[in-house]
């Protein structure tokens, strides 16, 4: 089991439901955080909470789809800590609706945040890791990439793209000793759903996903888990 103390962990979408729970677990390990989000207030609240526990936190508010901003944050993270060890790509969104009623802009936003954001963060993280030390990227896919959901076809398509992007990037990233794992959770009871009618009692809770993330992060570097699917037993 790998010890995470003083490891540098970059987290996108850090102050979302899953991100907050992951930070709670990692805070107990004594990691160094590089947190980003497009929600300035939420990110500031999370960062201050972690700093009050004596933890070191770098926080940046920006658009995960803007390459220059992503690049600048990764460079700032390396300058601040001297290393990068883990990237957790948690930023994502879902835009439900009938295809024939869906504006083109919704398609673009869905693909940009879920796929392009994952690509950009992974690109600029992998380019800056120490290839002699090894690193790990965890991308968040979804069971929707495996089981079509008629309420959110754009989300299904985006997460399927994330899954294959991750598998193909993993082949290339091996030369830099970067492992890439895709986690495909089923529904999780977070603000992700908005006001959509969902049987929340059948969903997982954010800490369920956080614990799986922590499990993957603490495996020895000789182990590569490429694709993990899990869901609520109540919804199985």
């Amino acid at each position: 089991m790998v010890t995470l103390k003083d490891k540098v962990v970059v987290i996108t979408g850090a102050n979302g439901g899953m991100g907050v729970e992951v930070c709670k677990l990692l805070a107990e390990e004594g990691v160094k955080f590089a947190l980003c989000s497009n929600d300035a207030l939420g990110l500031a609240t999370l960062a201050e909470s972690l700093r009050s526990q004596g933890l070191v936190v770098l926080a940046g508010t920006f658009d995960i789809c803007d390459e220059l901003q992503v690049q600048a944050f990764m460079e700032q993270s390396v300058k601040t800590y001297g290393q990068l060890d883990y990237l957790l790509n948690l930023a994502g969104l879902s835009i439900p609706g009938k295809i024939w009623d869906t504006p083109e802009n919704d398609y673009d936003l869905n693909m940009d945040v879920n796929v392009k954001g994952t690509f950009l963060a992974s690109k600029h993280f992998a380019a800056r890791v120490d290839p002699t030390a090894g690193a790990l990227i965890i991308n968040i896919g979804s069971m929707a990439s495996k089981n079509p959901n008629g309420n959110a076809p754009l989300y299904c398509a985006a997460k399927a793209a994330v899954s294959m992007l991750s598998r193909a990037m993993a082949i290339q990233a091996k030369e830099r000793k970067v492992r890439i794992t895709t986690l495909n959770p089923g529904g999780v009871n977070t603000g992700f759903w908005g006001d959509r009618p969902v049987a929340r009692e059948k969903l997982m809770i954010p800490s369920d996903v956080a614990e799986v993330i922590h499990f993957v992060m603490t495996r020895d570097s000789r182990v590569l888990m490429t694709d993990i699917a899990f869901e609520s037993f109540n919804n199985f």
Side-chain angles (χ1 to χ4, degrees), residues 166-185:
S166 299
R167 291 174 64 184
M169 283 196 303
I171 298 171
Q172 295 183 343
K174 184 177 180 180
E175 68 182 64
R176 296 188 63 78
K177 293 189 177 180
V178 177
R179 294 170 294 147
I180 301 179
T181 298
T182 304
L183 300 186
N184 298 288

Side-chain angles (χ1 to χ4, degrees), residues 1-29:
M1 183 172 175
V2 174
T3 299
L4 299 179
K5 182 174 175 55
D6 292 328
K7 296 295 185 181
V8 178
V9 183
V10 182
I11 307 178
T12 74
N15 61 288
M18 289 188 293
V20 170
E21 292 300 321
V22 168
C23 287
K24 288 179 182 178
L25 278 181
L26 298 182
E28 297 175 2
E29 300 272 4

Side-chain angles (χ1 to χ4, degrees), residues 128-207:
R128 289 166 177 79
V129 301
D130 178 353
T132 67
L136 173 67
I137 296 172
I138 297 180
N139 293 328
I140 298 297
S142 171
M143 289 296 287
S145 70
K146 303 175 181 297
N147 304 319
N149 183 333
N151 294 318
L154 296 184
Y155 184 70
C156 293
K159 289 304 186 179
V162 167
S163 179
M164 187 53 70
L165 175 66
S166 299
R167 291 174 64 184
M169 283 196 303
I171 298 171
Q172 295 183 343
K174 184 177 180 180
E175 68 182 64
R176 296 188 63 78
K177 293 189 177 180
V178 177
R179 294 170 294 147
I180 301 179
T181 298
T182 304
L183 300 186
N184 298 288
V188 184
N189 189 5
T190 68
F192 171 88
W193 300 99
D195 58 0
R196 282 176 274 175
V198 178
R200 291 180 179 265
E201 70 280 0
K202 293 185 177 182
L203 303 178
M204 292 184 290
I205 58 176
S207 60

Side-chain angles (χ1 to χ4, degrees), residues 5-7 23-33 35 46-58 81:
K5 182 174 175 55
D6 292 328
K7 296 295 185 181
C23 287
K24 288 179 182 178
L25 278 181
L26 298 182
E28 297 175 2
E29 300 272 4
V31 308
K32 298 175 181 178
F33 290 100
L35 308 178
L46 174 61
E48 182 55 35
S49 173
L50 294 170
R51 289 176 183 134
S52 70
Q53 300 173 53
L55 296 160
V56 181
V57 182
L58 171 68
Y81 296 123

Side-chain angles (χ1 to χ4, degrees), residues 19-229:
V20 170
E21 292 300 321
V22 168
C23 287
K24 288 179 182 178
L25 278 181
L26 298 182
E28 297 175 2
E29 300 272 4
V31 308
K32 298 175 181 178
F33 290 100
L35 308 178
C36 55
S37 170
N38 65 347
D39 175 4
L41 179 59
L43 185 62
T45 300
L46 174 61
E48 182 55 35
S49 173
L50 294 170
R51 289 176 183 134
S52 70
Q53 300 173 53
L55 296 160
V56 181
V57 182
L58 171 68
T61 304
F62 59 88
D63 180 359
I64 195 64
C65 304
D66 186 312
E67 180 161 21
L68 291 180
Q69 294 183 61
V70 174
Q71 178 178 347
F73 184 72
M74 292 298 178
E75 290 175 348
Q76 184 182 8
S77 298
V78 173
K79 183 177 180 179
T80 300
Y81 296 123
Q83 66 189 67
L84 297 176
D85 300 298
Y86 295 89
L87 168 62
L88 311 182
N89 276 315
L90 306 186
L93 57 78
S94 174
I95 304 175
K98 303 294 185 183
I99 285 295
W100 46 88
D101 294 326
T102 301
E104 181 181 0
N105 286 346
D106 283 359
Y107 172 87
D108 292 338
L109 179 61
N110 176 79
M111 299 302 288
D112 280 354
V113 173
N114 290 305
V115 187
K116 184 179 180 180
T118 297
F119 155 66
L120 290 177
S122 299
K123 170 185 175 178
H124 289 288
F125 174 87
R128 289 166 177 79
V129 301
D130 178 353
T132 67
L136 173 67
I137 296 172
I138 297 180
N139 293 328
I140 298 297
S142 171
M143 289 296 287
S145 70
K146 303 175 181 297
N147 304 319
N149 183 333
N151 294 318
L154 296 184
Y155 184 70
C156 293
K159 289 304 186 179
V162 167
S163 179
M164 187 53 70
L165 175 66
S166 299
R167 291 174 64 184
M169 283 196 303
I171 298 171
Q172 295 183 343
K174 184 177 180 180
E175 68 182 64
R176 296 188 63 78
K177 293 189 177 180
V178 177
R179 294 170 294 147
I180 301 179
T181 298
T182 304
L183 300 186
N184 298 288
V188 184
N189 189 5
T190 68
F192 171 88
W193 300 99
D195 58 0
R196 282 176 274 175
V198 178
R200 291 180 179 265
E201 70 280 0
K202 293 185 177 182
L203 303 178
M204 292 184 290
I205 58 176
S207 60
D208 294 330
V209 180
E211 288 168 1
V212 176
I213 291 173
H214 181 264
F215 173 81
V216 175
M217 292 177 69
T218 53
R219 295 313 94 189
D220 192 274
S221 60
R222 68 178 178 273
V223 178
L224 172 62
M225 290 172 277
T226 57
D227 195 271
I228 300 175

